[in-house]
Each structure stands twice: as C-alpha cells, then as structure tokens.
Amino acid sequence: MRQTTVVVFGGTGFIGSHLVAQLSAAGVRVLVPTRRLVRARHLATLPMVEVIEADVGRADAAQLARLLHRADAAINLVGVLHSKRGTPYGPQFRRAHVELPAAIVAACAAAGVPRYLHMSALGADRDGPSMYQRSKADGEIAARGEVSVAATIFRPSVVFGPEDNFLNMFAKMQRWLPVVPLACAGAEFQPVFVGDVAQAFVHALRDPKTRHQVYALGGPAIYTLAELVRLSGRWSHHERPIIELPNWLGRLQAAIFEMMPGTPLMTRDNLDSMKCDNVVDPAIQALTAATLGIKPVALEAVAPQYLSPHERLDDFRARAGR
C-alpha cells in the first residue's frame, strides 16, 4: 500500500509546525512549500518531511499542479489577520482567504487529489461585521468549489500554545507597560490548544466520515478578553491594571496602530470581529473536537508554563512531547 502523501500549505507557521510534526509522527509523508527555506529549518529534520521552495501566495496553477502531483490530500492553513480596507474586504484577505483556497482546490481537482482540509475561523460569516469574517466565509465557499474534491473545514477559536501571537503578545505588553488600555474587554473567546487543532486535522485525514463536514474547535472554557489579558500578565509575573476603553476610544487607538510601521497590534477590523463572541455555539455547531475523539486541553494546564519567565521553551516542548 502506497504511503499517504499530504501537501501542507502554511506549514511553517505556528499551527502548521505542530501539524507537520504530528503528521510526521503518524507516518505520513509531508511536503511543505515555503517562500523562505530558512523559516522551515525546524521542520527539515523531521522524518518524512520535505521542504520545497515555492511562492504559493501567487496561486500559480502550474506550480500548484507540480506540488500536488501524486498527493493524497492538501491541507491549507494560510491566513492573515490584517488587510487594507476594502469592499467587502481588503486585498490581502482576498488573496489569502479566497483566491488561494480556490486555486488549491482547482489544482486538487485537476491532479485527482480527493481530499482538501481547510482552516477557517469561528465567526466566519458572509454578513459578518468584519472584513476578516466575510473573507473567511467566502474562503469556505471556495473550499467547496470542486465536486470531485471532498473538503473538511475547521473553525477554531483563538489558538494558544508556546509560540502563539495572542497570549504572548499580552504578556510582552505587560512586561513593558504600567497599564493595559484595552478595547472590547468583554468580548468572549474559547481558546483551543494548538496541539488539539493539529490533532483534529490528523484525525479528519484518517476518517472518511469527516468529508464535507465543518468542525468548530474550542477549548473547555470561555474567557473574556480582559480575563485572558489578566491571566497572561499573572502567569508571566507582570500583571498590570487594565483600563477598559469605550468603543470610540478603542477605535481611535486601533486607527493609530494601523498608521504605525510594522504589523499593527490591533486594527479597526479586529475590533469589528470582536463584536461577535468567538465561542462555539452548541445549538448551531453540532460537530466539535469531541466528535473527533479529542478531549481539549485546558488553558491553565499549558499557558502558565510557557508564559513563565522562569520556564525555558525547550524544556516545555520536551515535557509536552513536541
């Protein structure tokens, strides 16, 4: 029997690195295209993982066809958090969340690849308040664009883990700031561990019953944004007072962040996303991590260790088996 081969787009990122490691451990041959080989050095030493230099962001049909030749499945984790404003969403969102999935699925159909696993997000909605949510919803439509390719879609809440850009960002802010001015402090999240998200993809790849399904992925508990900021400060030993900003001041703050060089800490579109709580709705989302046989890891069981200034990241990874 031929060994399963999977192409993982976005495999060098935070979630992708954990997923590629789990696929490798499961005996799956993994191809990881990346524009910069230096970003994949940590993956190149894993068994049965091949890193290929390729700029998939261009969504070039010929290049995608070469990558997917003789593959059994494609996994797409590519996503962006920020985009220039546009209607109904900005160009960065369109390229990453809509055009690239459409191109990958079309290439899968042309190459005879039967499976496509797609990373979306909780709150994906064509009528959602943010460009991010609207683009994610159109990305799901693109994921289902070819009848010959069985798509499985995952909608996680905010994902936490040692290299996350969420809790780590708030911990870093509290290391340097005397107070934390916080917009949308009451917005709710259901953080899910990166290892559980990766496990969901691996399970779905093995189980044909997951074809054409949508899975909502959340952790065992719900927190407000203020609670998560407070916990990240406490666990990093730099807890600061939180000043909850009114909506108008939060939007002004975000607009200023958008004008600053580099990746903004917060944008007005991020605030628009937080108008909807980022939690699993059991009345609507029947398929969750539990239906994949996954018992979600609690935030308190993991985050205090990797946020602690006294904890070495390598030691944490070794204990976590990652």
Side-chain angles (χ1 to χ4, degrees), residues 15-310:
I15 298 173
S17 296
H18 286 261
L19 174 56
V20 170
Q22 287 202 25
L23 289 170
S24 172
V28 176
R29 180 171 177 257
V30 187
L31 304 181
V32 183
T34 179
R35 191 165 49 126
R36 298 175 183 170
L37 291 175
V38 68
R39 296 185 60 190
R41 286 182 300 182
H42 61 297
L43 301 177
T45 58
L46 293 173
M48 292 178 291
V49 174
E50 180 181 356
V51 178
I52 302 171
E53 189 171 15
D55 184 5
V56 299
R58 295 186 295 112
D60 179 74
Q63 179 176 248
L64 291 174
R66 288 193 295 271
L67 290 170
L68 291 164
H69 179 64
R70 293 182 63 81
D72 299 290
I75 297 177
N76 180 24
L77 306 173
V78 176
V80 295
L81 290 175
H82 310 296
S83 178
K84 295 179 181 178
R85 302 184 75 79
T87 303
Y89 36 77
Q92 289 83 3
F93 285 148
R94 175 174 291 280
R95 283 196 296 271
H97 296 167
V98 185
E99 293 175 357
L100 180 59
I104 293 173
V105 171
C108 284
V113 178
R115 293 293 310 273
Y116 173 71
L117 279 63
H118 179 79
M119 178 68 84
S120 185
L122 279 183
D125 184 348
R126 298 194 81 185
D127 298 316
S130 73
M131 297 187 297
Y132 176 84
Q133 292 166 327
R134 295 191 293 272
S135 67
K136 280 293 190 179
D138 280 351
E140 292 186 6
I141 293 172
R144 301 187 183 101
E146 297 286 346
V147 295
S148 64
V149 182
T152 305
I153 295 170
F154 298 88
R155 295 175 177 169
S157 184
V158 62
V159 181
F160 70 90
E163 302 90 359
D164 71 53
N165 288 320
F166 188 69
L167 295 181
N168 276 300
M169 177 186 70
F170 288 122
K172 187 179 297 184
M173 286 174 60
Q174 291 174 86
R175 181 180 178 183
W176 299 109
L177 297 178
V179 297
V180 180
L182 189 64
C184 298
E188 292 187 337
F189 296 85
Q190 194 169 346
V192 57
F193 181 50
V194 62
D196 293 336
V197 175
Q199 192 177 6
F201 276 82
V202 175
H203 283 204
L205 189 64
R206 292 170 169 167
D207 188 351
K209 295 194 295 293
T210 64
R211 299 180 181 205
H212 309 293
Q213 302 294 344
V214 179
Y215 291 88
L217 304 178
I222 295 172
Y223 306 83
T224 66
L225 181 60
E227 288 172 333
L228 290 171
V229 172
R230 191 170 293 112
L231 288 171
S232 66
R234 184 178 307 158
W235 292 332
S236 63
H237 302 182
H238 296 289
E239 186 174 356
R240 307 299 188 196
I242 295 172
I243 300 176
E244 298 187 11
L245 300 180
N247 183 62
W248 70 269
L249 188 54
R251 296 194 72 82
L252 176 61
Q253 180 192 59
I256 294 172
F257 284 151
E258 290 175 28
M259 293 186 290
M260 296 173 67
T263 302
L265 289 174
M266 185 72 66
T267 67
R268 287 169 289 174
D269 195 66
N270 296 150
L271 298 183
D272 289 337
S273 290
M274 286 189 279
K275 291 177 180 177
C276 303
D277 290 332
N278 201 248
V279 301
V280 177
D281 182 354
I284 299 174
Q285 305 286 1
L287 298 175
T288 63
T291 61
L292 292 168
I294 299 169
K295 184 178 180 180
V297 173
L299 184 72
E300 289 83 357
V302 176
Q305 283 72 42
Y306 71 79
L307 290 176
S308 171
H310 306 301

